[in-house]
Short mmCIF file of all heavy atoms in Angstrom, two decimals:
data_model
loop_
_atom_site.label_atom_id
_atom_site.label_comp_id
_atom_site.label_asym_id
_atom_site.label_seq_id
_atom_site.Cartn_x
_atom_site.Cartn_y
_atom_site.Cartn_z
N PRO S 173 -14.29 -1.71 -19.66
CA PRO S 173 -14.69 -0.30 -19.97
C PRO S 173 -15.06 0.47 -18.70
O PRO S 173 -14.75 1.65 -18.63
CB PRO S 173 -15.82 -0.39 -20.90
CG PRO S 173 -15.66 -1.82 -21.58
CD PRO S 173 -15.08 -2.73 -20.46
N ALA S 174 -15.83 -0.12 -17.78
CA ALA S 174 -16.27 0.62 -16.65
C ALA S 174 -15.10 1.15 -15.85
O ALA S 174 -15.08 2.31 -15.38
CB ALA S 174 -17.18 -0.22 -15.75
N LEU S 175 -14.16 0.34 -15.62
CA LEU S 175 -12.98 0.70 -14.79
C LEU S 175 -12.09 1.66 -15.61
O LEU S 175 -11.62 2.66 -15.07
CB LEU S 175 -12.14 -0.53 -14.39
CG LEU S 175 -10.93 -0.31 -13.58
CD1 LEU S 175 -11.26 0.47 -12.23
CD2 LEU S 175 -10.10 -1.59 -13.31
N ALA S 176 -11.98 1.39 -16.91
CA ALA S 176 -11.11 2.27 -17.75
C ALA S 176 -11.73 3.69 -17.80
O ALA S 176 -10.97 4.68 -17.83
CB ALA S 176 -11.04 1.73 -19.24
N GLY S 177 -13.04 3.77 -17.76
CA GLY S 177 -13.75 5.09 -17.75
C GLY S 177 -13.44 5.87 -16.45
O GLY S 177 -13.28 7.11 -16.50
N LYS S 178 -13.36 5.17 -15.35
CA LYS S 178 -13.03 5.89 -14.12
C LYS S 178 -11.61 6.42 -14.11
O LYS S 178 -11.42 7.49 -13.62
CB LYS S 178 -13.27 4.84 -12.92
CG LYS S 178 -14.60 4.40 -12.72
CD LYS S 178 -14.73 3.44 -11.56
CE LYS S 178 -16.10 2.89 -11.27
NZ LYS S 178 -16.17 1.90 -10.11
N VAL S 179 -10.73 5.66 -14.68
CA VAL S 179 -9.37 6.07 -14.75
C VAL S 179 -9.17 7.21 -15.75
O VAL S 179 -8.59 8.27 -15.38
CB VAL S 179 -8.42 4.97 -15.16
CG1 VAL S 179 -6.99 5.42 -15.43
CG2 VAL S 179 -8.38 3.83 -14.13
N SER S 180 -9.80 7.13 -16.92
CA SER S 180 -9.61 8.16 -17.91
C SER S 180 -10.34 9.44 -17.48
O SER S 180 -9.94 10.58 -17.82
CB SER S 180 -10.19 7.72 -19.26
OG SER S 180 -11.55 7.42 -19.22
N GLY S 181 -11.43 9.33 -16.64
CA GLY S 181 -12.17 10.48 -16.15
C GLY S 181 -11.56 11.03 -14.95
O GLY S 181 -12.03 12.02 -14.35
N LYS S 182 -10.44 10.45 -14.45
CA LYS S 182 -9.62 10.98 -13.33
C LYS S 182 -10.48 10.99 -12.10
O LYS S 182 -10.40 12.02 -11.27
CB LYS S 182 -8.94 12.27 -13.63
CG LYS S 182 -7.99 12.18 -14.79
CD LYS S 182 -7.31 13.47 -15.09
CE LYS S 182 -6.39 13.40 -16.32
NZ LYS S 182 -5.64 14.67 -16.66
N GLU S 183 -11.31 10.03 -11.90
CA GLU S 183 -12.15 9.98 -10.67
C GLU S 183 -11.31 9.81 -9.46
O GLU S 183 -10.23 9.30 -9.46
CB GLU S 183 -13.16 8.83 -10.79
CG GLU S 183 -14.26 9.05 -11.87
CD GLU S 183 -15.35 8.06 -11.69
OE1 GLU S 183 -15.43 7.37 -10.67
OE2 GLU S 183 -16.08 7.81 -12.71
N LYS S 184 -11.81 10.34 -8.34
CA LYS S 184 -11.10 10.22 -7.13
C LYS S 184 -10.87 8.80 -6.71
O LYS S 184 -11.69 8.04 -6.78
CB LYS S 184 -11.96 10.98 -5.99
CG LYS S 184 -11.13 10.95 -4.59
CD LYS S 184 -11.98 11.76 -3.55
CE LYS S 184 -11.24 11.76 -2.31
NZ LYS S 184 -12.00 12.50 -1.21
N GLY S 185 -9.57 8.51 -6.33
CA GLY S 185 -9.21 7.10 -5.95
C GLY S 185 -8.83 6.26 -7.15
O GLY S 185 -8.46 5.06 -6.99
N TYR S 186 -8.58 6.90 -8.28
CA TYR S 186 -8.19 6.17 -9.49
C TYR S 186 -7.03 6.81 -10.26
O TYR S 186 -6.86 6.89 -11.39
CB TYR S 186 -9.31 6.05 -10.48
CG TYR S 186 -10.41 5.13 -9.93
CD1 TYR S 186 -11.47 5.59 -9.18
CD2 TYR S 186 -10.36 3.74 -10.23
CE1 TYR S 186 -12.45 4.65 -8.64
CE2 TYR S 186 -11.24 2.86 -9.74
CZ TYR S 186 -12.34 3.37 -8.93
OH TYR S 186 -13.27 2.46 -8.46
N GLY S 187 -6.05 7.40 -9.36
CA GLY S 187 -4.88 8.02 -9.84
C GLY S 187 -3.64 7.05 -9.69
O GLY S 187 -3.81 5.92 -9.22
N LEU S 188 -2.47 7.54 -10.00
CA LEU S 188 -1.23 6.72 -9.95
C LEU S 188 -0.97 6.20 -8.58
O LEU S 188 -0.53 5.00 -8.44
CB LEU S 188 -0.07 7.54 -10.44
CG LEU S 188 1.34 6.87 -10.41
CD1 LEU S 188 1.28 5.56 -11.21
CD2 LEU S 188 2.39 7.82 -10.94
N LEU S 189 -1.33 6.94 -7.51
CA LEU S 189 -1.05 6.49 -6.15
C LEU S 189 -2.02 5.25 -5.79
O LEU S 189 -1.79 4.65 -4.77
CB LEU S 189 -1.24 7.62 -5.17
CG LEU S 189 -0.12 8.67 -5.19
CD1 LEU S 189 -0.52 9.84 -4.23
CD2 LEU S 189 1.19 8.17 -4.87
N ASN S 190 -3.02 5.09 -6.64
CA ASN S 190 -3.97 3.97 -6.41
C ASN S 190 -3.75 2.82 -7.38
O ASN S 190 -4.65 1.99 -7.54
CB ASN S 190 -5.41 4.45 -6.49
CG ASN S 190 -5.64 5.70 -5.67
OD1 ASN S 190 -5.74 6.85 -6.18
ND2 ASN S 190 -5.80 5.57 -4.35
N LEU S 191 -2.59 2.74 -8.02
CA LEU S 191 -2.37 1.81 -9.05
C LEU S 191 -2.66 0.36 -8.66
O LEU S 191 -3.24 -0.41 -9.21
CB LEU S 191 -0.99 1.95 -9.62
CG LEU S 191 -0.56 0.93 -10.64
CD1 LEU S 191 -1.46 1.08 -11.94
CD2 LEU S 191 0.89 1.07 -11.10
N TYR S 192 -2.13 -0.08 -7.44
CA TYR S 192 -2.29 -1.40 -7.01
C TYR S 192 -3.76 -1.76 -6.67
O TYR S 192 -4.29 -2.85 -7.09
CB TYR S 192 -1.53 -1.69 -5.72
CG TYR S 192 0.00 -1.83 -5.92
CD1 TYR S 192 0.86 -1.00 -5.20
CD2 TYR S 192 0.46 -2.77 -6.72
CE1 TYR S 192 2.26 -1.14 -5.35
CE2 TYR S 192 1.79 -2.91 -6.93
CZ TYR S 192 2.71 -2.05 -6.21
OH TYR S 192 4.03 -2.23 -6.44
N ALA S 193 -4.47 -0.73 -6.20
CA ALA S 193 -5.95 -0.99 -5.99
C ALA S 193 -6.67 -1.07 -7.28
O ALA S 193 -7.62 -1.89 -7.41
CB ALA S 193 -6.54 0.16 -5.15
N ILE S 194 -6.31 -0.31 -8.24
CA ILE S 194 -6.90 -0.39 -9.57
C ILE S 194 -6.68 -1.77 -10.23
O ILE S 194 -7.58 -2.39 -10.79
CB ILE S 194 -6.44 0.72 -10.50
CG1 ILE S 194 -6.85 2.11 -9.95
CG2 ILE S 194 -7.00 0.59 -11.90
CD1 ILE S 194 -6.10 3.26 -10.58
N ILE S 195 -5.53 -2.21 -10.17
CA ILE S 195 -5.11 -3.57 -10.71
C ILE S 195 -5.91 -4.66 -9.90
O ILE S 195 -6.42 -5.64 -10.54
CB ILE S 195 -3.60 -3.76 -10.61
CG1 ILE S 195 -2.91 -2.87 -11.63
CG2 ILE S 195 -3.27 -5.26 -10.94
CD1 ILE S 195 -1.34 -2.96 -11.58
N ASP S 196 -6.02 -4.52 -8.62
CA ASP S 196 -6.89 -5.44 -7.84
C ASP S 196 -8.33 -5.48 -8.38
O ASP S 196 -8.84 -6.53 -8.48
CB ASP S 196 -6.86 -5.07 -6.39
CG ASP S 196 -5.61 -5.54 -5.65
OD1 ASP S 196 -4.82 -6.35 -6.21
OD2 ASP S 196 -5.32 -5.14 -4.52
N GLU S 197 -8.86 -4.31 -8.54
CA GLU S 197 -10.25 -4.22 -9.07
C GLU S 197 -10.31 -4.91 -10.45
O GLU S 197 -11.27 -5.59 -10.75
CB GLU S 197 -10.68 -2.78 -9.14
CG GLU S 197 -12.12 -2.66 -9.47
CD GLU S 197 -12.65 -1.15 -9.27
OE1 GLU S 197 -11.96 -0.39 -8.58
OE2 GLU S 197 -13.61 -0.79 -9.90
N TYR S 198 -9.30 -4.65 -11.30
CA TYR S 198 -9.39 -5.29 -12.61
C TYR S 198 -9.25 -6.76 -12.49
O TYR S 198 -9.97 -7.54 -13.13
CB TYR S 198 -8.14 -4.74 -13.48
CG TYR S 198 -8.01 -5.48 -14.82
CD1 TYR S 198 -8.64 -4.95 -15.89
CD2 TYR S 198 -7.32 -6.72 -14.90
CE1 TYR S 198 -8.53 -5.65 -17.12
CE2 TYR S 198 -7.24 -7.35 -16.10
CZ TYR S 198 -7.87 -6.80 -17.25
OH TYR S 198 -7.71 -7.46 -18.46
N ASN S 199 -8.40 -7.25 -11.63
CA ASN S 199 -8.24 -8.74 -11.48
C ASN S 199 -9.42 -9.46 -10.91
O ASN S 199 -9.73 -10.61 -11.26
CB ASN S 199 -7.00 -9.02 -10.57
CG ASN S 199 -5.70 -8.85 -11.42
OD1 ASN S 199 -5.66 -8.93 -12.66
ND2 ASN S 199 -4.59 -8.55 -10.78
N GLN S 200 -10.14 -8.71 -10.03
CA GLN S 200 -11.38 -9.30 -9.50
C GLN S 200 -12.45 -9.46 -10.61
O GLN S 200 -13.12 -10.50 -10.66
CB GLN S 200 -11.95 -8.40 -8.37
CG GLN S 200 -11.14 -8.47 -7.12
CD GLN S 200 -11.55 -7.37 -6.11
OE1 GLN S 200 -12.59 -6.77 -6.18
NE2 GLN S 200 -10.64 -7.12 -5.08
N TRP S 201 -12.48 -8.44 -11.44
CA TRP S 201 -13.39 -8.49 -12.61
C TRP S 201 -12.92 -9.58 -13.58
O TRP S 201 -13.79 -10.39 -14.06
CB TRP S 201 -13.33 -7.15 -13.37
CG TRP S 201 -13.99 -7.16 -14.67
CD1 TRP S 201 -15.39 -7.11 -15.03
CD2 TRP S 201 -13.37 -7.36 -15.92
NE1 TRP S 201 -15.58 -7.24 -16.41
CE2 TRP S 201 -14.28 -7.35 -16.99
CE3 TRP S 201 -11.96 -7.40 -16.24
CZ2 TRP S 201 -13.99 -7.49 -18.34
CZ3 TRP S 201 -11.56 -7.46 -17.65
CH2 TRP S 201 -12.66 -7.54 -18.61
N PHE S 202 -11.67 -9.70 -13.75
CA PHE S 202 -11.06 -10.71 -14.74
C PHE S 202 -11.40 -12.11 -14.24
O PHE S 202 -11.78 -12.97 -15.06
CB PHE S 202 -9.60 -10.47 -14.93
CG PHE S 202 -9.01 -11.29 -15.98
CD1 PHE S 202 -9.04 -10.92 -17.28
CD2 PHE S 202 -8.41 -12.52 -15.67
CE1 PHE S 202 -8.48 -11.69 -18.28
CE2 PHE S 202 -7.83 -13.31 -16.69
CZ PHE S 202 -7.84 -12.89 -17.98
#
Side-chain angles (χ1 to χ4, degrees):
L175 181 59
K178 293 178 181 179
V179 173
S180 63
K182 301 181 181 180
E183 292 189 19
K184 185 177 180 180
Y186 290 88
L188 178 57
L189 291 176
N190 309 103
L191 179 61
Y192 285 124
I194 295 168
I195 291 175
D196 279 348
E197 188 171 337
Y198 175 91
N199 283 337
Q200 289 170 15
W201 166 81
F202 188 85

